[in-house]
Each structure stands twice: as C-alpha cells, then as structure tokens.
Amino acid sequence: MAKIQLKGVVNRVTSVSSRVGRDNRTNTFQGLIITVPGYVDSFGDKKGKDEEWEIQLINDTIAKHDLLSKNLQGKKVIVDAYLNSNAFVHNGEQKYALNLNLASIEVYNG
C-alpha cells in the first residue's frame, strides 16, 4: 500500500452513509472532496487543470477525524492518504479500482 500527500482546498465533506459489504458486514463511509490546483510552470503560467479528489473515511476513521464538526469548506489542507488497488473481473474483463483512504489531515496555516 502506497502513501501519498495531497495539498488542496476542501470542497466539501459528505454525510456518513452505510453499505453492506463482503460477508454481509455493514460499513460506514464518508468522503472528503478536495481540489488540488493544476501544475504551474516556473514562470507562473498554469499548465495543468485542477483535479478533484475524493478521499474516503471508513468505519472508525470517521469518528477519529470527526470532519463534520470542523468547518473545513474552502480551507487549504495537507492530506496524507493511503492508496491501494484492487483487481476484479467485470463482464469477463479484468478491471482495477483505486481507493484513497485518509491517514491524516492538517489545515494549512501559512
């Protein structure tokens, strides 16, 4: 599992939802959606487009980070997240899904 860092602005924090997963276990999910600014060259000209990322919180991490109690919308944040990949077969074809799960979040004050 890889760990990456994203620096961006919080668009929103989603409400908590529940889904039944493998082995009929119910899991709770929440999303942190941030915009990461596009690449800027050495002259300050924007070369890349902005990207929107959804970082997931699952089960215990929701209570641990308690994002809904914080007013994060529009704030600059530094997010560390775990990136993992899962392979699966869909309609006889091998597919891959990437998941990004929150490790830590820091509001940028600089």
Side-chain angles (χ1 to χ4, degrees):
M1 178 178 337
K3 191 173 184 182
I4 66 169
Q5 186 174 82
L6 299 170
K7 296 178 181 177
V9 176
V10 175
N11 285 344
R12 71 182 187 282
V13 176
T14 68
S15 59
V16 177
S17 63
S18 296
R19 287 182 274 196
V20 176
R22 287 185 227 155
D23 305 325
N24 288 327
R25 280 187 18 195
T26 299
N27 294 301
T28 53
F29 294 88
Q30 183 177 41
L32 169 68
I33 292 83
I34 67 170
T35 298
V36 175
Y39 168 71
V40 177
D41 70 11
S42 59
F43 295 102
D45 296 326
K46 192 166 193 174
K47 297 296 182 180
K49 65 178 185 172
D50 293 349
E51 298 176 345
E52 283 194 23
W53 289 76
E54 179 183 22
I55 300 98
Q56 289 187 341
L57 291 84
I58 301 172
N59 296 331
D60 296 340
T61 58
I62 296 169
K64 175 184 172 186
H65 294 286
D66 193 21
L67 297 182
L68 287 175
S69 72
K70 301 172 177 133
N71 182 18
L72 293 176
Q73 189 166 354
K75 296 204 174 149
K76 294 179 182 179
V77 292
I78 301 168
V79 172
D80 288 319
Y82 298 111
L83 178 65
N84 61 54
S85 176
N86 295 302
F88 62 96
V89 177
H90 179 70
N91 293 335
E93 186 178 347
Q94 185 79 21
K95 302 279 186 171
Y96 302 90
L98 297 176
N99 297 301
L100 199 56
N101 298 307
L102 184 64
S104 66
I105 182 170
E106 173 187 343
V107 176
Y108 180 71
N109 293 317

